[in-house]
Amino acid sequence: MSRPRSLWNAALSVLLIGLLAAAVVVGDESKPKRLKKKDLPEKYQLWLEMVDLLISKKERQAFLEIGKDYQRDAFIERFWAERDTYEDTARNEFRERWKQLAQEAMSITNGNLLDERAKVILLNGLPDAMIDYDCFEVWPGQVFYYERAPSAGQELALIFYQPNNNGPYRLWYPTDGLRVLMQFANPLGGDGGAYQTIQNNCSLKEGEALLAALNMARAYGEMGFMTLVADVLQPERTHSGEWVEAFEALSTDLPEGALTFKAELQYEFPARHKTRTVVQGQVAVSQSEAAVIDLAGARSFNFVLTGEVLREGTLFDTFRYSFNLPANLGEEETIPLVFERYLRPGPYKFVVRLEDLNAKKYFLSTTELEVPAVDTVRRTEPRDPETARLLAEANAAISTGDTTIRIVPPRGEYQTGFVRLDTITTGSDIVYVKFTVDDDQNLIKRAPPFNVELDLGSLPRVRKLVAVAFDGEDRELARDELEINSGAHRFAVRLIEPRRGRKYFNSLRAEAKVDVPKDRAVTKVEFYLNEQLVASLHQPPYVQPILLPADEQLAYVRAVAYQADGNFTEDLVYVNAPDYLEEVDIQFVELFVAVLDKESRPVEGLTEAEFTILEDGVTQTPTRFDLVDNLPIHAGILVDVSASMEPSLAMAQQGALQFFQQAITPRDRATLITFNDHPHLAAKFTNDVQTLAGGLAGLKAERGTALYDSLVFALYYFNGIKGQRALVVLSDGQDEHSRFSFENALEYAQRAGVAIYAIGLDLGRKEGDARRKLRRFANETGGRSFFIEDAAELPGIYEEIQRELRSRYYLAYQSSNTSSEDD
């Protein structure tokens, strides 16, 4: 679909012509050079000392480069949030414990957190006993005794001494010899003389504690004791500091010696959203101030807008937008950029930095802003009437949040059979609610409670439920959407605005909602008008006003959400489509194909021309072709731990561990599911091999076998994950306890899009039916089957599976089948 860009940009440029800046400061501020610790305010010096055992080199460098106290405070909050042990609780238990131990350590070390006693306490907690000693001819010191030191895992006694009666205490090592503990050279000489000095000059309690610690160190031996102490003092630096880049990207500091350009910034308050006011910033950049980049004839302006919102001197909010606009405006026209935040009424300070990526120049604005309380009607008009006209339609779409509807997700891992789905509504003007199931079935409830009962079938299939609330004049008030049985890994974006079937004239308000797994984050959401990128938003709310071209009624808005690993999802809505234009669902299909020779070895080096794709007998045209030797893998291992697996369980554990160690790279994810008469999620999807190994520990072979139920459970767990997916199934017998039949499980496997690699262990001739069924699971999902007599063969099988997964071909195509039927 094409359109004249000049008219589009002309419409855009009108938006902010003649805006008068509410408050503009073009700054000459520059980002300070990296400070030394001693140059920081005292409270930040103390903080660095407290986290010395936690902070990574990257995090420390970034902290020393921060120029403002409120940014340092925000950095510290994010630092602790990254280490929050239990993210689902309101408290940060890790931070609380560390600060408590730091206070305890400071009380013992007279406020010196660099004292080696403080390090031991921070990493291991308070000792079970602390005995001070102050004996004649012996440097004063302290003995720490742990019945079981957390870091070392066994009994340990540590001696700390203070040479010259001054300064921090030092940890004693056997290699130092006993003489370092003595104030004077021992006339008797040797360790025996030192022992005698301790016995003669220390009280009974002091002498017993000191000699017991010395004897324990001697019993461990020099190397053994050194190893234990190394474990005790090992910093728990489990964080690489990768979050720092994202934090630095939100800084409004200017680089040292940065060049600046002029722009105008105005703030307005077009509406209310729930209890907050919509704050709309409008930046006007003169085309003469901006630089153009020309890449293969594509000329564009490119900006990154970063903002900080302060309240009472504390960093309250941060935001980041990217703008990419075609560079074919008239000579005197401005480039309009719009951003929004939702804030409660009150005083704020906005710091906004706009970077021209092509000119390497910056605009910096600092504005004291009083955010008013507003109702649903605009309280003030902008100075420029043309701006008001163009933005009026988009701003009118801002929801007040008074009337809402939300579908309550049902409880349970997955849903089958008859299920009642309820909604929660707010507002008094809802007259009826229309429910749509899979864009087909329509059900209407004309009185509360607004709920619906659905027959979801015998297998946990993904179903889409849409609930739309209407008033008495059939006007849509609110809507919600829920995918049932979408799994814990669902990553999806949905355009709330614009709405299908609604007419738009000058502008619209694009709004997207993103569903993302709990352990993942959204890096950005892009909004497109047709195929022109309008803006990239790096944080919620994902809303962006978009101006429509005056001469082109038919267009579409597309939202694309991204995760850090490059995974993305998108949604598209046609704008002002004529009645005769039918929206069709174009299916994008991904295939991961293994090509093997006669000896089951992967065949590499094939080209796209050597593949033919048929769907229902119709040839499909590939849109992408690649060899995926380095493509991320999501792999699961489903291990039978029924009673019959007892003789083979140890080898099964070792083989699975070897697979995880060799196959899982930082970009990959793996999961472990065990089963007997029911499935158990032993380790969630992760790239941490230690976590996966923990799931393999403590397995016990017992009870019966529910293979089909467990297979459905495992495949369901893959829901919402895109890309190359594989499930390795290890079992040694027939299914005995499943609720699902073989046919149910096979049908579900065929639809799941997960390649199954089935390993049958010690299945003799009498188990021919089990072999046949495992083979069908593999053959009909694009995997392979293996049958072995001894578990010792498992490492070789796992290695072969890994090699095949890394040698597959990736083919993608747009299906020519536009039917919405689930065949």
Side-chain angles (χ1 to χ4, degrees):
M1 185 176 297
S2 63
R3 54 176 174 73
R5 290 187 175 182
S6 59
L7 292 177
W8 155 242
N9 285 287
L12 275 175
S13 63
V14 173
L15 170 62
L16 296 178
I17 293 177
L19 283 180
L20 298 176
V24 177
V25 178
V26 179
D28 57 358
E29 299 181 34
S30 62
K31 187 175 181 178
K33 296 179 180 178
R34 184 181 305 164
L35 299 175
K36 293 183 180 180
K37 176 184 167 184
K38 63 182 180 63
D39 298 324
L40 293 172
E42 183 179 5
K43 71 174 184 176
Y44 300 116
Q45 293 185 41
L46 292 175
W47 182 79
L48 282 177
E49 290 180 5
M50 183 176 69
V51 299
D52 184 67
L53 298 172
L54 294 175
I55 195 167
S56 69
K57 182 179 179 181
K58 181 185 295 185
E59 290 170 326
R60 179 184 291 274
Q61 290 175 346
F63 186 74
L64 292 175
E65 289 174 352
I66 294 176
K68 303 180 179 69
D69 284 354
Y70 72 80
Q71 294 172 335
R72 295 187 181 103
D73 294 336
F75 181 99
I76 290 172
E77 289 299 318
R78 180 68 184 274
F79 176 91
W80 289 119
E82 287 293 319
R83 290 159 171 80
D84 190 357
T85 310
Y86 306 104
E87 296 182 1
D88 293 337
T89 65
R91 300 164 49 206
N92 188 326
E93 291 82 358
F94 181 88
R95 178 181 187 172
E96 291 176 3
R97 173 171 169 75
W98 193 268
K99 292 181 72 172
Q100 181 182 357
L101 288 174
Q103 292 174 354
E104 297 279 4
M106 291 177 68
S107 67
I108 293 169
T109 63
N110 293 321
N112 187 356
L113 286 173
L114 300 181
D115 189 301
E116 290 188 330
R117 292 174 297 171
K119 294 181 180 180
V120 172
I121 291 172
L122 284 169
L123 294 174
N124 297 270
L126 289 171
D128 297 297
M130 289 186 296
I131 301 97
D132 293 308
Y133 63 86
D134 189 5
C135 316
F136 180 66
E137 295 189 358
V138 180
W139 292 123
Q142 200 168 41
V143 175
F144 280 13
Y145 172 72
Y146 289 93
E147 292 183 6
R148 185 179 178 86
S151 299
Q154 54 187 299
E155 184 183 26
L156 186 64
L158 301 172
I159 299 172
F160 299 91
Y161 65 101
Q162 187 185 39
N164 302 317
N165 287 312
N166 188 32
Y169 280 51
R170 297 179 184 175
L171 177 60
W172 176 81
Y173 294 90
T175 51
D176 296 336
L178 295 184
R179 289 196 173 199
V180 300
L181 300 176
M182 304 293 114
Q183 295 186 17
F184 308 104
N186 197 311
L188 299 178
D191 287 351
Y195 269 89
Q196 191 64 49
T197 299
I198 292 171
Q199 288 177 331
N200 292 340
N201 296 295
C202 295
S203 68
L204 180 61
K205 180 180 178 181
E206 294 173 339
E208 284 183 347
L210 189 52
L211 293 174
L214 293 171
N215 289 332
M216 186 178 297
R218 175 178 291 179
Y220 282 128
E222 286 189 1
M223 290 304 300
F225 184 82
M226 296 287 283
T227 300
L228 288 174
V229 171
D231 290 338
V232 166
L233 293 177
Q234 180 63 41
E236 192 175 341
R237 286 175 180 162
T238 57
H239 290 260
S240 64
E242 294 299 325
W243 62 272
V244 170
E245 285 88 348
F247 182 88
E248 290 179 321
L250 292 171
S251 173
T252 58
D253 289 337
L254 297 184
E256 186 176 6
L259 300 175
T260 61
F261 66 92
K262 294 181 180 179
E264 295 182 338
L265 173 58
Q266 175 175 305
Y267 292 96
E268 292 191 5
F269 315 102
R272 169 176 61 87
H273 182 73
K274 298 183 180 179
T275 61
R276 298 173 185 254
T277 298
V278 179
V279 180
Q280 188 175 85
Q282 304 167 1
V283 186
V285 181
S286 172
Q287 183 184 359
S288 62
E289 291 283 342
V292 177
I293 189 171
D294 190 330
L295 297 175
R299 303 176 72 251
S300 62
F301 297 109
N302 306 94
F303 300 94
V304 172
L305 186 147
T306 307
E308 296 174 327
V309 182
L310 281 70
R311 185 163 192 175
E312 297 178 352
T314 300
L315 188 61
F316 181 80
D317 185 23
T318 57
F319 53 92
R320 188 167 184 255
Y321 292 71
S322 301
F323 297 97
N324 304 287
L325 301 174
N328 49 4
L329 300 175
E331 290 185 2
E332 301 302 325
E333 297 180 2
T334 58
I335 304 168
L337 310 171
V338 181
F339 63 90
E340 290 186 353
R341 310 309 298 159
Y342 296 163
L343 298 175
R344 290 190 173 89
Y348 296 88
K349 181 178 181 179
F350 271 71
V351 183
V352 174
R353 185 186 80 172
L354 182 64
E355 179 183 0
D356 185 334
L357 296 178
N358 303 326
K360 307 297 182 185
K361 292 183 179 181
Y362 298 83
F363 161 75
L364 185 67
S365 166
T366 302
T367 306
E368 300 287 348
L369 198 65
E370 183 71 31
V371 175
V374 301
D375 54 25
T376 58
V377 180
R378 293 180 59 87
R379 298 184 60 182
T380 60
E381 291 293 329
R383 297 181 177 92
D384 178 35
E386 185 64 13
T387 299
R389 184 185 71 81
L390 289 173
L391 273 183
E393 191 175 359
N395 289 339
I398 300 176
S399 169
T400 64
D402 292 335
T403 302
T404 63
I405 185 168
R406 186 174 71 87
I407 304 172
V408 180
R411 294 183 178 181
E413 292 171 343
Y414 54 74
Q415 305 298 318
T416 59
F418 282 93
V419 176
R420 171 174 160 163
L421 293 162
D422 295 297
T423 65
I424 297 175
T425 60
T426 61
S428 59
D429 45 355
I430 297 177
V431 174
Y432 69 95
V433 173
K434 182 170 75 173
F435 295 93
T436 304
V437 183
D438 294 336
D439 298 322
D440 186 14
Q441 304 177 45
N442 291 321
L443 305 168
I444 295 179
K445 290 296 293 289
R446 297 191 176 276
F450 298 112
N451 54 52
V452 65
E453 189 171 273
L454 301 176
D455 182 3
L456 300 179
S458 60
L459 288 170
R461 296 189 181 128
V462 177
R463 308 293 295 270
K464 184 173 76 171
L465 177 65
V466 179
V468 184
F470 293 88
D471 64 10
E473 298 180 6
D474 299 325
R475 291 177 301 200
E476 180 179 322
L477 300 174
R479 68 166 54 211
D480 192 23
E481 183 178 306
L482 176 68
E483 279 204 359
I484 306 164
N485 292 332
S486 60
H489 309 290
R490 171 175 164 79
F491 176 43
V493 63
R494 176 165 55 93
L495 278 166
I496 299 173
E497 285 281 349
R499 301 184 188 182
R500 292 171 174 84
R502 178 171 291 185
K503 293 293 183 180
Y504 298 88
F505 298 95
N506 298 310
S507 62
L508 59 83
R509 177 185 179 81
E511 180 176 358
K513 178 182 178 181
V514 183
D515 294 324
V516 65
K518 287 184 178 180
D519 59 342
R520 301 294 181 90
V522 176
T523 56
K524 66 177 177 178
V525 172
E526 295 178 339
F527 287 106
Y528 291 80
L529 180 65
N530 298 331
E531 288 308 305
Q532 173 62 52
L533 176 62
V534 176
S536 301
L537 283 63
H538 299 262
Q539 69 292 306
Y542 299 114
V543 295
Q544 181 63 35
I546 297 178
L547 300 181
L548 298 175
D551 65 332
E552 185 177 356
Q553 293 298 314
L554 178 60
Y556 58 87
V557 173
R558 185 161 61 98
V560 186
Y562 294 86
Q563 291 181 335
D565 59 5
N567 193 11
F568 70 91
T569 182
E570 62 181 84
D571 189 24
L572 180 147
V573 172
Y574 279 95
V575 177
N576 299 332
D579 296 337
Y580 60 81
L581 179 64
E582 178 183 1
E583 283 193 36
V584 294
D585 186 14
I586 303 298
Q587 300 294 330
F588 185 75
V589 182
E590 294 181 313
L591 301 175
F592 294 90
V593 182
V595 182
L596 307 176
D597 62 18
K598 292 181 179 180
E599 308 202 351
S600 298
R601 294 174 301 192
V603 177
E604 300 181 4
L606 299 179
T607 64
E608 180 179 342
E610 294 173 274
F611 289 85
T612 300
I613 304 174
L614 297 175
E615 181 181 290
D616 296 329
V618 179
T619 302
Q620 306 292 324
T621 302
T623 58
R624 183 178 169 188
F625 173 84
D626 277 312
L627 180 65
V628 296
D629 58 333
N630 61 349
L631 197 71
I633 295 173
H634 282 82
I637 293 186
L638 180 62
V639 180
D640 187 344
V641 292
S642 60
S644 59
M645 281 288 294
E646 176 64 34
S648 307
L649 189 55
M651 284 302 302
Q653 289 171 296
Q654 189 59 40
L657 178 59
Q658 181 177 321
F659 176 84
F660 291 140
Q661 290 172 331
Q662 295 179 354
I664 304 306
T665 72
R667 293 176 304 166
D668 303 320
R669 297 291 185 274
T671 182
L672 174 69
I673 300 171
T674 61
F675 73 96
N676 39 40
D677 54 9
H678 69 279
H680 169 66
L681 182 60
K684 296 181 179 180
F685 272 111
T686 180
N687 60 1
D688 184 4
V689 175
Q690 187 174 357
T691 299
L692 294 165
L696 287 165
L699 298 183
K700 180 177 177 58
E702 58 185 354
R703 301 198 295 271
T705 305
L707 172 62
Y708 307 146
D709 283 0
S710 303
L711 191 62
V712 170
F713 174 87
L715 293 173
Y716 173 80
Y717 188 58
F718 276 87
N719 273 357
I721 292 176
K722 297 182 179 180
Q724 186 170 201
R725 303 178 296 170
L727 177 66
V728 182
V729 182
L730 172 63
S731 183
D732 72 341
Q734 291 274 13
D735 188 282
E736 301 168 336
H737 293 281
S738 287
R739 177 172 62 91
F740 293 117
S741 67
F742 167 72
E743 289 74 17
N744 288 151
L746 181 61
E747 179 189 355
Y748 193 77
Q750 290 167 335
R751 296 173 180 271
V754 180
I756 295 177
Y757 289 82
I759 305 175
L761 177 59
D762 194 22
L763 293 177
R765 292 182 179 178
K766 65 178 182 178
E767 299 290 351
D769 185 55
R771 295 168 69 101
R772 179 181 63 82
K773 290 177 177 178
L774 287 176
R775 186 177 289 113
R776 286 197 65 186
F777 280 126
N779 292 345
E780 300 193 25
T781 59
R784 291 175 62 194
S785 55
F786 305 85
F787 299 98
I788 57 179
E789 296 182 0
D790 193 331
E793 300 176 60
L794 283 172
I797 299 297
Y798 282 126
E799 185 175 350
E800 191 170 342
I801 294 172
Q802 174 202 346
R803 186 168 59 251
E804 181 176 314
L805 290 174
R806 294 293 183 195
S807 304
R808 289 182 156 204
Y809 295 89
Y810 171 72
L811 295 98
Y813 68 94
Q814 291 280 9
S815 172
S816 60
N817 181 6
T818 60
S819 171
S820 61
E821 295 181 6
D822 188 15
D823 297 328

